[in-house]
Amino acid sequence: MTHVTDHDGGVRSIKVPIPDNPLGHTLVYVVDTDRGPVLVDTGWDDPASWDTLAAGLAACGTSVAEIHGVVITHHHPDHHGLSGAVREASGAWIAMHAADTAIVRRTRGTGPDRWYSYMTDKLTAAGAPEEHLAPLRTPRRPHALPGFSPALPDREIVPGELLDLPGRRVRAIWTPGHTPGHVCLHLEESHPSQLPGHGRLFSGDHLLPEISPHIGLYEDPDDDTVTDPLGDYLDSLERVGRLAPAEVLPAHQYAFTDTAARVRELLAHHESRLTGLLTLLASPLTPWQLAERMEWNRPWPQIPFGSRNIAVSEAEAHLRRLVKLGRAEAVAGSDPVTYAAV
Protein backbone atom coordinates (compact mmCIF):
# COMPACT_ATOMS: atom_id res chain seq x y z
CA MET A 1 0.00 0.00 0.00
CA THR A 2 1.54 3.32 -1.09
CA HIS A 3 -0.85 5.72 0.68
CA VAL A 4 -1.03 8.16 -2.24
CA THR A 5 -3.82 10.74 -2.59
CA ASP A 6 -4.45 12.70 -5.78
CA HIS A 7 -5.51 16.27 -4.92
CA ASP A 8 -5.92 17.10 -8.63
CA GLY A 9 -4.32 19.99 -10.45
CA GLY A 10 -0.90 18.31 -10.49
CA VAL A 11 -0.68 17.84 -6.71
CA ARG A 12 -0.53 14.51 -4.90
CA SER A 13 0.44 13.50 -1.38
CA ILE A 14 2.25 10.48 0.04
CA LYS A 15 1.79 9.34 3.65
CA VAL A 16 5.39 8.82 4.77
CA PRO A 17 5.50 7.06 8.16
CA ILE A 18 7.16 8.55 11.25
CA PRO A 19 8.57 5.71 13.35
CA ASP A 20 7.25 5.41 16.92
CA ASN A 21 5.31 8.67 16.78
CA PRO A 22 1.59 9.20 17.50
CA LEU A 23 1.33 11.54 14.50
CA GLY A 24 1.75 8.45 12.35
CA HIS A 25 2.96 10.05 9.14
CA THR A 26 4.05 13.16 7.29
CA LEU A 27 2.14 14.14 4.18
CA VAL A 28 4.80 14.70 1.53
CA TYR A 29 3.37 16.61 -1.43
CA VAL A 30 4.41 15.94 -5.01
CA VAL A 31 3.89 19.02 -7.18
CA ASP A 32 4.21 18.76 -10.95
CA THR A 33 6.26 21.52 -12.61
CA ASP A 34 7.52 22.09 -16.14
CA ARG A 35 10.97 20.85 -15.02
CA GLY A 36 9.82 17.78 -13.17
CA PRO A 37 8.23 16.94 -9.83
CA VAL A 38 9.02 19.02 -6.75
CA LEU A 39 8.50 17.76 -3.21
CA VAL A 40 7.07 19.79 -0.35
CA ASP A 41 8.87 18.18 2.63
CA THR A 42 10.38 14.69 2.51
CA GLY A 43 9.62 12.79 5.74
CA TRP A 44 11.66 11.12 8.49
CA ASP A 45 15.11 9.67 7.76
CA ASP A 46 14.30 5.99 8.20
CA PRO A 47 14.53 3.00 5.82
CA ALA A 48 10.79 2.29 6.00
CA SER A 49 10.02 5.96 5.37
CA TRP A 50 12.38 6.01 2.39
CA ASP A 51 10.79 2.87 0.94
CA THR A 52 7.32 4.39 1.34
CA LEU A 53 8.39 7.63 -0.33
CA ALA A 54 9.97 5.74 -3.25
CA ALA A 55 6.90 3.51 -3.67
CA GLY A 56 4.62 6.53 -3.50
CA LEU A 57 6.58 8.33 -6.19
CA ALA A 58 6.39 5.24 -8.39
CA ALA A 59 2.61 5.22 -7.90
CA CYS A 60 2.63 8.86 -9.04
CA GLY A 61 4.39 7.79 -12.24
CA THR A 62 7.80 9.17 -11.30
CA SER A 63 10.79 8.27 -9.11
CA VAL A 64 13.20 9.74 -6.60
CA ALA A 65 15.76 10.13 -9.41
CA GLU A 66 13.41 12.46 -11.29
CA ILE A 67 12.81 14.93 -8.42
CA HIS A 68 13.71 18.44 -9.55
CA GLY A 69 13.62 20.21 -6.18
CA VAL A 70 12.66 19.95 -2.53
CA VAL A 71 10.86 22.77 -0.67
CA ILE A 72 11.01 22.41 3.11
CA THR A 73 8.34 24.04 5.26
CA HIS A 74 10.58 23.81 8.35
CA HIS A 75 13.68 22.06 9.62
CA HIS A 76 12.13 19.38 11.89
CA PRO A 77 13.30 15.83 11.06
CA ASP A 78 9.83 14.54 10.13
CA HIS A 79 9.85 17.13 7.34
CA HIS A 80 13.52 17.59 6.39
CA GLY A 81 14.90 14.18 7.35
CA LEU A 82 15.05 12.53 3.91
CA SER A 83 16.04 15.67 1.99
CA GLY A 84 19.71 14.73 1.80
CA ALA A 85 18.93 11.24 0.49
CA VAL A 86 16.58 12.68 -2.14
CA ARG A 87 19.23 15.17 -3.28
CA GLU A 88 21.88 12.45 -3.44
CA ALA A 89 19.65 10.24 -5.58
CA SER A 90 18.39 12.97 -7.92
CA GLY A 91 20.63 16.03 -7.81
CA ALA A 92 17.61 18.06 -6.67
CA TRP A 93 18.03 21.42 -4.95
CA ILE A 94 16.78 21.94 -1.38
CA ALA A 95 15.12 25.22 -0.36
CA MET A 96 14.44 26.49 3.17
CA HIS A 97 13.87 29.82 4.95
CA ALA A 98 17.13 31.41 6.15
CA ALA A 99 16.14 31.27 9.84
CA ASP A 100 15.72 27.49 9.74
CA THR A 101 18.79 27.06 7.53
CA ALA A 102 20.74 28.77 10.32
CA ILE A 103 19.38 26.14 12.75
CA VAL A 104 20.42 23.33 10.38
CA ARG A 105 23.91 24.80 10.11
CA ARG A 106 24.17 25.15 13.89
CA THR A 107 22.81 21.64 14.47
CA ARG A 108 25.42 20.16 12.14
CA GLY A 109 28.14 21.82 14.19
CA THR A 110 26.75 20.97 17.64
CA GLY A 111 28.04 17.79 19.27
CA PRO A 112 25.94 15.71 21.68
CA ASP A 113 27.99 16.83 24.72
CA ARG A 114 27.31 20.50 23.97
CA TRP A 115 23.60 19.79 23.52
CA TYR A 116 23.26 17.73 26.70
CA SER A 117 25.07 20.42 28.69
CA TYR A 118 22.78 23.11 27.30
CA MET A 119 19.64 21.09 28.03
CA THR A 120 20.82 20.38 31.59
CA ASP A 121 21.42 24.08 32.27
CA LYS A 122 18.12 25.07 30.65
CA LEU A 123 16.04 22.55 32.58
CA THR A 124 17.84 23.38 35.84
CA ALA A 125 16.89 27.01 35.36
CA ALA A 126 13.29 25.91 34.68
CA GLY A 127 13.15 24.12 38.04
CA ALA A 128 13.40 20.50 36.86
CA PRO A 129 13.97 17.98 39.68
CA GLU A 130 17.25 16.12 40.01
CA GLU A 131 15.71 12.79 38.98
CA HIS A 132 14.87 14.32 35.58
CA LEU A 133 18.29 15.94 35.21
CA ALA A 134 20.31 12.86 36.14
CA PRO A 135 20.04 11.08 32.74
CA LEU A 136 21.36 14.23 31.05
CA ARG A 137 24.43 14.26 33.28
CA THR A 138 25.40 10.63 32.71
CA PRO A 139 28.61 10.08 30.72
CA ARG A 140 26.99 7.21 28.75
CA ARG A 141 25.84 9.31 25.83
CA PRO A 142 25.53 8.39 22.15
CA HIS A 143 28.11 9.74 19.75
CA ALA A 144 25.30 10.96 17.52
CA LEU A 145 21.72 12.05 18.05
CA PRO A 146 18.74 11.60 15.69
CA GLY A 147 18.39 14.56 13.35
CA PHE A 148 21.85 15.95 14.14
CA SER A 149 23.20 15.61 10.59
CA PRO A 150 20.48 17.31 8.50
CA ALA A 151 21.14 18.24 4.89
CA LEU A 152 22.28 21.82 4.40
CA PRO A 153 19.87 23.58 1.98
CA ASP A 154 21.31 25.20 -1.15
CA ARG A 155 18.46 27.63 -1.90
CA GLU A 156 16.78 30.26 0.26
CA ILE A 157 13.02 30.66 0.48
CA VAL A 158 12.36 34.40 0.50
CA PRO A 159 9.07 35.44 2.12
CA GLY A 160 6.62 37.07 -0.26
CA GLU A 161 8.40 35.88 -3.39
CA LEU A 162 7.30 33.28 -5.91
CA LEU A 163 9.35 30.09 -5.81
CA ASP A 164 11.26 29.08 -8.93
CA LEU A 165 8.79 26.39 -9.98
CA PRO A 166 8.28 26.76 -13.75
CA GLY A 167 4.64 26.46 -14.74
CA ARG A 168 3.35 26.98 -11.18
CA ARG A 169 2.60 30.01 -8.99
CA VAL A 170 3.72 29.18 -5.46
CA ARG A 171 4.38 32.09 -3.11
CA ALA A 172 6.27 31.76 0.18
CA ILE A 173 4.45 32.98 3.29
CA TRP A 174 6.66 33.34 6.39
CA THR A 175 4.80 31.88 9.38
CA PRO A 176 7.18 31.77 12.39
CA GLY A 177 6.03 30.18 15.62
CA HIS A 178 6.45 26.41 15.37
CA THR A 179 10.00 27.19 14.19
CA PRO A 180 11.63 30.58 13.46
CA GLY A 181 11.74 29.90 9.72
CA HIS A 182 8.51 27.99 9.17
CA VAL A 183 6.90 28.81 5.83
CA CYS A 184 3.53 28.08 4.27
CA LEU A 185 3.33 27.90 0.50
CA HIS A 186 0.42 29.58 -1.25
CA LEU A 187 -0.49 27.91 -4.53
CA GLU A 188 -1.95 30.92 -6.32
CA GLU A 189 -3.96 28.95 -8.86
CA SER A 190 -7.67 28.28 -9.22
CA HIS A 191 -8.84 25.35 -7.13
CA PRO A 192 -9.27 22.30 -9.42
CA SER A 193 -12.77 21.75 -8.02
CA GLN A 194 -13.55 25.48 -8.16
CA LEU A 195 -13.99 25.73 -4.39
CA PRO A 196 -14.49 29.35 -3.25
CA GLY A 197 -11.38 31.07 -1.97
CA HIS A 198 -7.88 31.96 -3.11
CA GLY A 199 -5.95 28.91 -4.27
CA ARG A 200 -4.53 26.30 -1.92
CA LEU A 201 -2.12 26.47 1.00
CA PHE A 202 0.61 23.97 1.84
CA SER A 203 0.55 24.71 5.56
CA GLY A 204 3.28 22.47 6.98
CA ASP A 205 2.70 22.26 10.75
CA HIS A 206 1.40 25.82 11.03
CA LEU A 207 -2.25 25.01 10.40
CA LEU A 208 -3.53 21.48 11.09
CA PRO A 209 -7.19 20.37 11.09
CA GLU A 210 -7.34 18.89 14.60
CA ILE A 211 -4.02 19.60 16.32
CA SER A 212 -2.53 22.76 17.76
CA PRO A 213 1.17 22.56 16.83
CA HIS A 214 3.85 22.63 19.49
CA ILE A 215 4.99 26.17 20.25
CA GLY A 216 8.15 26.11 22.36
CA LEU A 217 11.20 28.29 22.76
CA TYR A 218 13.58 28.58 19.82
CA GLU A 219 16.59 26.64 21.05
CA ASP A 220 19.99 28.25 20.48
CA PRO A 221 22.75 27.54 23.01
CA ASP A 222 24.67 30.64 21.88
CA ASP A 223 21.85 33.20 21.74
CA ASP A 224 20.23 34.78 24.80
CA THR A 225 17.71 36.82 22.79
CA VAL A 226 14.32 36.84 24.52
CA THR A 227 11.97 35.65 21.78
CA ASP A 228 8.17 35.43 21.79
CA PRO A 229 7.39 32.36 19.65
CA LEU A 230 3.75 32.15 20.74
CA GLY A 231 3.25 35.79 19.78
CA ASP A 232 4.93 35.04 16.45
CA TYR A 233 2.60 32.09 15.91
CA LEU A 234 -0.58 34.02 16.70
CA ASP A 235 0.46 36.85 14.37
CA SER A 236 1.24 34.28 11.65
CA LEU A 237 -2.16 32.63 12.11
CA GLU A 238 -3.92 35.90 11.44
CA ARG A 239 -1.75 36.49 8.37
CA VAL A 240 -2.71 33.09 6.94
CA GLY A 241 -6.36 33.72 7.75
CA ARG A 242 -6.30 36.84 5.60
CA LEU A 243 -5.11 34.77 2.61
CA ALA A 244 -8.46 32.93 2.66
CA PRO A 245 -7.32 29.85 0.67
CA ALA A 246 -9.99 27.56 -0.69
CA GLU A 247 -8.26 24.53 0.79
CA VAL A 248 -5.43 23.77 3.19
CA LEU A 249 -2.99 20.94 2.47
CA PRO A 250 -1.28 20.31 5.84
CA ALA A 251 1.74 18.12 6.61
CA HIS A 252 -0.23 15.89 8.98
CA GLN A 253 -3.74 14.44 9.16
CA TYR A 254 -5.80 15.51 6.10
CA ALA A 255 -6.71 18.35 3.76
CA PHE A 256 -9.51 20.67 4.86
CA THR A 257 -11.45 23.81 3.94
CA ASP A 258 -12.79 26.80 5.93
CA THR A 259 -9.42 28.22 6.89
CA ALA A 260 -11.02 31.16 8.68
CA ALA A 261 -12.93 28.90 11.06
CA ARG A 262 -9.82 26.88 11.93
CA VAL A 263 -7.80 30.04 12.52
CA ARG A 264 -10.50 31.34 14.87
CA GLU A 265 -10.50 28.03 16.76
CA LEU A 266 -6.73 28.14 17.27
CA LEU A 267 -6.71 31.79 18.34
CA ALA A 268 -9.49 31.06 20.84
CA HIS A 269 -7.67 27.94 22.08
CA HIS A 270 -4.51 29.86 22.89
CA GLU A 271 -6.38 32.74 24.52
CA SER A 272 -8.27 30.24 26.68
CA ARG A 273 -5.05 28.49 27.57
CA LEU A 274 -3.32 31.74 28.54
CA THR A 275 -6.28 32.67 30.73
CA GLY A 276 -6.18 29.25 32.39
CA LEU A 277 -2.47 29.59 33.09
CA LEU A 278 -3.09 32.86 34.92
CA THR A 279 -5.30 30.92 37.33
CA LEU A 280 -2.47 28.46 37.93
CA LEU A 281 -0.09 31.38 38.47
CA ALA A 282 -2.14 32.75 41.36
CA SER A 283 0.75 31.28 43.36
CA PRO A 284 4.32 31.58 42.00
CA LEU A 285 5.45 28.61 39.91
CA THR A 286 8.61 27.63 38.06
CA PRO A 287 8.20 26.70 34.37
CA TRP A 288 8.54 23.03 35.37
CA GLN A 289 5.82 23.34 38.00
CA LEU A 290 3.58 25.11 35.51
CA ALA A 291 4.13 22.36 32.93
CA GLU A 292 3.21 19.74 35.56
CA ARG A 293 -0.14 21.47 36.09
CA MET A 294 -1.02 22.22 32.44
CA GLU A 295 -3.42 20.04 30.46
CA TRP A 296 -1.73 17.68 28.01
CA ASN A 297 -2.93 14.70 25.99
CA ARG A 298 -2.16 12.44 28.96
CA PRO A 299 -1.51 12.85 32.72
CA TRP A 300 1.94 14.24 33.60
CA PRO A 301 3.20 10.95 35.19
CA GLN A 302 2.53 9.19 31.87
CA ILE A 303 4.43 11.72 29.74
CA PRO A 304 7.80 10.27 28.66
CA PHE A 305 11.14 11.93 29.39
CA GLY A 306 11.68 13.63 26.03
CA SER A 307 8.11 14.84 25.81
CA ARG A 308 8.43 16.45 29.26
CA ASN A 309 11.28 18.56 27.90
CA ILE A 310 9.03 19.66 25.04
CA ALA A 311 6.19 20.41 27.48
CA VAL A 312 8.44 22.60 29.63
CA SER A 313 9.52 24.51 26.53
CA GLU A 314 5.87 25.08 25.64
CA ALA A 315 5.14 26.27 29.19
CA GLU A 316 8.03 28.72 28.89
CA ALA A 317 6.72 30.02 25.55
CA HIS A 318 3.35 30.72 27.16
CA LEU A 319 5.06 32.43 30.11
CA ARG A 320 7.00 34.63 27.69
CA ARG A 321 3.74 35.66 26.06
CA LEU A 322 2.05 36.44 29.39
CA VAL A 323 5.04 38.50 30.52
CA LYS A 324 5.11 40.43 27.25
CA LEU A 325 1.38 41.15 27.60
CA GLY A 326 1.93 42.39 31.16
CA ARG A 327 -0.28 39.63 32.58
CA ALA A 328 2.49 37.82 34.52
CA GLU A 329 5.96 38.63 35.82
CA ALA A 330 9.04 36.95 37.22
CA VAL A 331 9.27 36.99 41.01
CA ALA A 332 12.33 39.02 42.00
CA GLY A 333 15.02 37.03 43.76
CA SER A 334 13.54 33.59 43.07
CA ASP A 335 15.98 30.82 42.14
CA PRO A 336 15.01 28.91 40.10
CA VAL A 337 12.91 31.73 38.77
CA THR A 338 9.19 31.59 39.48
CA TYR A 339 6.40 33.49 37.77
CA ALA A 340 3.15 34.88 39.10
CA ALA A 341 0.04 36.46 37.62
CA VAL A 342 -0.11 40.25 37.79
Side-chain angles (χ1 to χ4, degrees), residues 20-328:
D20 302 318
N21 189 295
L23 278 175
H25 60 266
T26 301
L27 290 172
V28 172
Y29 291 92
V30 185
V31 181
D32 294 338
T33 79
D34 289 348
R35 291 185 188 167
V38 167
L39 301 183
V40 177
D41 293 334
T42 57
W44 191 274
D45 185 6
D46 177 80
S49 303
W50 172 261
D51 290 346
T52 301
L53 178 63
L57 289 170
C60 292
T62 184
S63 68
V64 176
E66 295 180 59
I67 298 302
H68 171 60
V70 175
V71 183
I72 299 299
T73 60
H74 61 295
H75 73 87
H76 287 165
D78 55 324
H79 297 258
H80 183 44
L82 284 173
S83 299
V86 170
R87 180 167 60 190
E88 184 176 345
S90 64
W93 47 261
I94 302 172
M96 183 183 286
H97 186 282
D100 273 20
T101 296
I103 294 174
V104 168
R105 186 173 288 110
R106 184 171 67 244
T107 300
R108 290 167 61 91
T110 300
D113 285 343
R114 174 74 176 96
W115 184 252
Y116 279 114
S117 175
Y118 166 72
M119 287 301 297
T120 301
D121 292 345
K122 181 177 181 297
L123 288 164
T124 299
E130 180 55 36
E131 59 265 27
H132 185 84
L133 298 170
L136 296 170
R137 303 189 205 274
T138 177
R140 296 183 65 185
R141 297 170 180 165
H143 295 294
L145 293 172
F148 262 61
S149 298
L152 193 63
D154 40 60
R155 289 193 182 185
E156 180 179 340
I157 296 175
V158 180
E161 291 191 1
L162 289 172
L163 276 64
D164 182 19
L165 304 181
R168 310 306 299 248
R169 285 188 60 86
V170 179
R171 192 175 304 277
I173 311 297
W174 185 35
T175 50
H178 185 57
T179 72
H182 191 290
V183 293
C184 293
L185 307 167
H186 192 197
L187 184 58
E188 298 178 340
E189 301 169 9
S190 297
H191 191 281
S193 298
Q194 300 304 310
L195 295 179
H198 301 96
R200 292 185 279 181
L201 186 75
F202 299 102
S203 66
D205 280 2
H206 182 69
L207 197 60
L208 303 170
E210 297 178 2
I211 301 171
S212 176
H214 165 68
I215 309 296
L217 298 187
Y218 301 147
E219 310 289 6
D220 184 350
D222 302 312
D223 189 349
D224 294 327
T225 302
V226 178
T227 58
D228 179 20
L230 181 54
D232 293 341
Y233 177 68
L234 298 175
D235 289 345
S236 299
L237 269 182
E238 293 183 345
R239 188 180 315 126
V240 164
R242 289 192 292 270
L243 289 176
E247 186 177 27
V248 176
L249 304 174
H252 303 288
Q253 299 189 306
Y254 52 85
F256 63 98
T257 57
D258 203 347
T259 307
R262 184 59 182 142
V263 167
R264 287 195 300 270
E265 288 175 357
L266 287 165
L267 291 172
H269 163 75
H270 283 286
E271 181 55 36
S272 175
R273 198 173 201 194
L274 289 170
T275 300
L277 296 188
L278 289 175
T279 301
L280 295 176
L281 293 170
S283 298
L285 297 173
T286 65
W288 180 275
Q289 291 169 332
L290 182 62
E292 287 181 311
R293 291 160 174 78
M294 291 170 68
E295 290 189 16
W296 305 104
N297 60 359
R298 69 191 87 175
W300 183 260
Q302 297 177 19
I303 296 178
F305 179 89
S307 297
R308 289 189 181 192
N309 297 339
I310 294 171
V312 172
S313 182
E314 187 150 333
E316 290 182 300
H318 281 74
L319 283 169
R320 291 253 183 112
R321 187 65 188 152
L322 288 170
V323 169
K324 186 168 184 177
L325 293 171
R327 298 163 73 179

